[in-house]
Amino acid sequence: MRVVVAGGTGMVGRYVVEELAAAGQEPVVLARSRGVDLLSGGAGLDEAMEGAEAVVDVSNVETMSAKKAVPFFDTVGRNLLDAGARAGVRHHVVLSIVGIERVGHGYYQGKMRQEDVVKEGPTPWTVLRATQFHEFVEQILDRMPRPLAVVPRMRTQPVAAREVAQHLVKLTLAPAQGMAPELAGPRVEQLVDMVRRLLRARQQRRLVLPVRLPGPAGAAMAGDGQLPLGPGPRGSQTFDEWLAEHVGRTTTP
């Protein structure tokens, strides 16, 4: 099966491409670095879609602003659906995030728009909501200037990005099912604790300052707003196991 992967050079996208190839499928990467601008929907998009039976959308934009996130996910979603309809795509799969309607900050508003666009589109669809990735902790830490690490108070049930990709591929190769059961990791964690364990694993010293974000979004993040609401698939790799594999040295909390 020829499967188009939008955002196939990103964190999850690379794993999706690898897992599709390992399953004997034919992945096609859509990314600006591969000559396809998903925002313009122009040159290269229809050519890449030719002969595709499924699309996996793991495209992303780095912003916390609703003014940037909403138009990005709206435009990319519509461009992919339109091109997919022209090519005869039979299954459109989207990766989303657990708790977006409960937390509702700017980026999550963009993901909600993405889900709405897919639901209203002409192609049978599947949306997988997953919790934050183990890799999210590195992203948070590395974007902060030293020597401080200001970390929001957040409860999460993190899952490895590779396991998310594996589940996406299983869903892609199955019939469309609408909203799939939410995917989460094996255990609930506090983001602040995860940052501290990552620093120990790296043998780095930084002052970690936990901060509760203001308003309803901050309250939801500090509570259960980003945890799965019901039963569903669970990843097997814990954060400490992920640290041992990717960082090389870790300690238990």
Side-chain angles (χ1 to χ4, degrees):
M1 179 190 296
R2 185 176 172 90
V3 182
V4 168
V5 185
T9 59
M11 179 191 300
V12 177
R14 292 194 298 269
Y15 288 134
V16 170
V17 170
E18 290 178 9
E19 294 295 329
L20 283 168
Q25 310 304 316
E26 181 187 354
V28 178
V29 175
L30 294 189
R32 186 175 299 173
S33 61
R34 302 294 180 91
V36 180
D37 186 346
L38 297 175
L39 279 173
S40 71
L45 183 55
D46 282 335
E47 291 82 355
M49 285 284 188
E50 186 175 351
E53 296 183 50
V55 170
V56 182
D57 185 2
V58 287
S59 59
N60 192 35
V61 59
E62 292 188 4
T63 182
M64 295 296 290
S65 167
K67 292 182 178 179
K68 294 181 179 178
V70 171
F72 174 86
F73 286 112
D74 182 275
T75 301
V76 169
R78 293 182 190 280
N79 286 341
L80 286 172
L81 284 165
D82 290 345
R86 292 192 295 269
V89 166
R90 297 183 295 178
H91 191 185
H92 191 100
V93 181
V94 170
L95 176 61
S96 190
I97 307 170
V98 169
I100 53 177
E101 77 285 0
R102 287 172 277 157
V103 176
H105 60 57
Y107 180 81
Y108 283 13
Q109 291 177 41
K111 295 300 288 185
M112 286 190 285
R113 175 64 63 84
Q114 182 186 39
E115 289 187 6
D116 289 341
V117 167
V118 171
K119 292 173 185 178
E120 296 165 1
T123 306
W125 56 273
T126 299
V127 170
L128 173 65
R129 287 185 174 185
T131 52
Q132 282 71 33
F133 314 137
H134 295 324
E135 290 85 349
F136 176 66
V137 184
E138 283 190 317
Q139 292 179 331
I140 289 285
L141 185 62
D142 292 342
R143 289 172 184 167
M144 295 179 186
R146 296 170 183 258
L148 299 180
V150 181
V151 182
R153 293 193 179 276
M154 186 178 83
R155 294 183 77 218
T156 182
Q157 195 167 332
V159 62
R162 180 176 287 280
E163 292 186 311
V164 175
Q166 291 168 346
H167 199 68
L168 280 169
V169 169
K170 290 180 182 179
L171 291 172
T172 301
L173 301 181
Q177 59 176 281
M179 295 300 297
E182 294 179 335
L183 173 64
R187 57 181 285 186
V188 176
E189 301 272 8
Q190 293 282 352
L191 180 60
V192 171
D193 293 339
M194 295 169 71
V195 168
R196 288 179 173 138
R197 280 142 66 191
L198 174 60
L199 286 168
R200 289 200 298 269
R202 290 178 169 182
Q203 302 183 37
Q204 294 178 348
R205 290 176 178 251
R206 293 177 69 173
L207 179 60
V208 178
L209 296 179
V211 175
R212 177 163 171 163
L213 299 182
M221 291 173 66
D224 294 341
Q226 295 186 248
L227 301 181
L229 289 175
R234 299 292 179 259
S236 61
Q237 187 177 49
T238 67
F239 180 65
D240 288 314
E241 290 169 343
W242 179 88
L243 277 178
E245 177 183 348
H246 290 270
V247 182
R249 175 183 178 274
T250 186
T251 58
T252 56

